[in-house]
Amino acid sequence: MSDEIAETARNMIKELAPLKGVRVIAAMSGGVDSSVMAVLLKEAGVDVIGVFLNVWDYSRDEVNRHGSCCSLEDSYDARRVADHIGIPFYAMDMREEFRRDVIDPFIQDYETGRTPNPCERCNRFVKFGALLEAADKLEAAYVATGHYVRRRDDNDGIHLFKGNDARKDQSYFLATTNRVQAERILFPVGGLEKDDTRRLAHFYKLPTADKHESQDICFIPAGDRIAFLKREGAEAGFREGDIVDTTGRILGRHQGIAHYTLGQRKGLGLPDGPWHVVALDGTTARVTVAHPEDAMIGAVDVGEAVWIREPKSGEAVTAKVRYQMQPADCVLEHFDESLRVTFAQPQKPSAPGQVAAFYAGDELLGGGIVSRVG
């Protein structure tokens, strides 16, 4: 196995060889993926500078107890990896920007009935914005991340594709990255299987080789969204109201729309089920539910759309409007500043606030934010 992983390392370094001598910012999260990304760049002769973004208060008890992708431990681990492979390392204080661009919109969405995607907003507004600014200040040509996304350049420009490991593909979270940003972002581990990334971490004896992966939102490491929202004063999301069906018939009462997301089917406690949540109204504090066959959606409206590569005339396009969804055949129509996405077949519910990612085969074309469902 050691010979096999050594060959994998040589192949990866060969792919990165054209970047020899080029200055690159390595976005180091303290996890195994970004650690392997950084060491591969260093081994390829790239002028690597490691950067960690401090985005949240690491002194909080729940972070220390449960861990997260932005904990104090992660900052230490990123620095340890940088020291181990011999590259400069900087930590940037991004707490103010993170509060403004991620936390506050997250709270507001749950108060109004939207379902936010904080990882997408962090990538779009904080990580890539801050890191590309840092790259300019440090005269670096690129920023590299540990995302499982593949990049390919040709005469038509940059193209982004799903990660080689379908289980770890993270292209969905990069769908709102604009072309100018994407042109300066590298994804050295995107062609790897996750198991090989872990093996490479052991091969290079990285301090993060056996580190577990956090599945929680970084600022809610215990996974208790309701406790976080209450602590942050999201009062509008906790007004009592009615649970009704699509005819307006009252089925029960609830303790606040923040307890629900569109498409939710568990924990509703209603008779004559099963039910799915199909609408949340922050003004009336009303939760609307429907039976599964009536909860399917045929179309969504998408705003804030950006393109890495605009689809060609007549090109077959698929879309996914939930992370766990398989891309589905669709038709895109432009209306003023929004897109109408009509699916060829009914789909399980999505929610306003979620990402809509557009693909041509495995190629990520771009995306936007779902503004209306149905």
Side-chain angles (χ1 to χ4, degrees):
M1 181 61 71
S2 59
D3 290 342
E4 182 178 327
I5 203 63
E7 180 64 19
T8 298
R10 285 192 291 270
N11 290 336
M12 297 297 295
I13 292 167
K14 184 177 180 180
E15 289 182 15
L16 295 168
L19 294 168
K20 183 176 182 179
V22 175
R23 180 166 293 177
V24 174
I25 298 293
M28 301 182 69
S29 67
V32 66
D33 300 324
S34 62
S35 299
V36 169
M37 169 270 294
V39 74
L40 289 174
L41 289 170
K42 177 65 187 307
E43 290 294 302
V46 177
D47 181 8
V48 190
I49 299 174
V51 173
F52 179 88
L53 299 182
N54 294 326
V55 297
W56 194 234
D57 180 2
Y58 311 133
S59 65
R60 296 166 301 141
D61 289 341
E62 67 267 26
V63 170
N64 293 331
R65 287 199 307 270
H66 300 280
S68 82
C69 70
C70 66
S71 69
L72 184 60
E73 177 188 357
D74 291 313
S75 178
Y76 288 155
D77 285 343
R79 186 178 294 276
R80 288 169 61 207
V81 170
D83 289 343
H84 178 76
I85 65 178
I87 63 172
F89 179 84
Y90 300 94
M92 296 176 58
D93 186 353
M94 298 300 297
R95 287 174 292 180
E96 181 178 340
E97 291 84 353
F98 191 76
R99 162 61 71 172
R100 181 190 66 227
D101 294 323
V102 179
I103 299 292
D104 289 345
F106 179 89
I107 296 168
Q108 183 179 17
D109 280 349
Y110 273 111
E111 288 189 307
T112 58
R114 289 165 59 92
T115 302
N117 191 317
C119 294
E120 176 275 330
R121 288 191 65 89
C122 185
N123 281 338
R124 180 163 45 134
F125 293 109
V126 180
K127 287 184 179 176
F128 294 142
L131 289 170
L132 287 172
E133 287 181 9
D136 289 337
K137 292 177 182 177
L138 295 171
E139 299 182 339
Y142 299 100
V143 166
T145 81
H147 285 98
Y148 284 84
V149 176
R150 291 175 294 143
R151 170 176 173 161
R152 185 183 307 155
D153 296 1
D154 60 22
N155 292 335
D156 294 326
I158 179 177
H159 303 269
L160 298 187
F161 297 85
K162 296 177 185 177
N164 199 49
D165 189 334
R167 301 167 302 166
K168 296 296 297 180
D169 169 49
Q170 293 169 303
S171 60
Y172 176 77
F173 296 105
L174 297 178
T176 55
T177 303
N178 64 50
R179 185 179 181 86
V180 172
Q181 291 175 320
E183 286 175 344
R184 297 184 65 192
I185 304 172
L186 305 174
F187 308 98
V189 302
L192 290 172
E193 299 288 327
K194 176 69 180 196
D195 291 344
D196 284 337
T197 303
R198 187 76 69 178
R199 293 186 186 103
L200 283 169
H202 282 285
F203 179 77
Y204 286 111
K205 298 180 172 57
L206 299 179
T208 54
D210 291 314
K211 188 173 180 178
H212 75 280
E213 292 186 74
S214 171
Q215 301 298 320
D216 293 322
I217 297 173
C218 69
F219 53 90
I220 314 178
D224 194 340
R225 168 172 53 86
I226 299 303
F228 172 82
L229 291 170
K230 287 183 175 179
R231 187 168 63 247
E232 292 292 321
E235 296 179 4
F238 295 101
R239 288 191 293 128
E240 294 185 7
D242 292 325
I243 303 176
V244 302
D245 65 15
T246 53
T247 69
R249 180 170 62 104
I250 297 176
L251 302 174
R253 294 281 290 175
H254 66 80
Q255 301 299 308
I257 63 171
H259 290 276
Y260 303 91
T261 60
L262 263 68
Q264 180 177 332
R265 58 185 176 84
K266 295 182 179 180
L268 299 180
L270 299 173
D272 304 322
W275 298 96
H276 288 254
V277 175
V278 295
L280 299 168
D281 191 324
T283 302
T284 64
R286 175 172 282 192
V287 175
T288 302
V289 298
H291 289 299
E293 62 272 18
D294 299 319
M296 303 292 279
I297 62 172
V300 297
D301 290 340
V302 176
E304 305 176 56
V306 296
W307 299 104
I308 299 168
R309 178 181 73 77
E310 288 200 52
K312 301 173 184 177
S313 177
E315 185 172 19
V317 176
T318 60
K320 58 187 295 186
V321 290
R322 302 183 318 278
Y323 175 54
Q324 297 295 342
M325 170 184 175
Q326 288 297 317
D329 293 338
C330 68
V331 174
L332 305 182
E333 299 174 272
H334 291 268
F335 291 101
D336 297 325
E337 296 182 358
S338 67
L339 286 171
R340 182 70 168 172
V341 183
T342 303
F343 292 104
Q345 299 292 332
Q347 302 296 317
K348 292 181 179 179
S350 179
Q354 289 294 286
V355 172
F358 305 123
Y359 296 86
D362 283 345
E363 183 178 2
L364 175 66
L365 300 177
I369 304 299
V370 175
S371 58
R372 193 176 74 88
V373 176

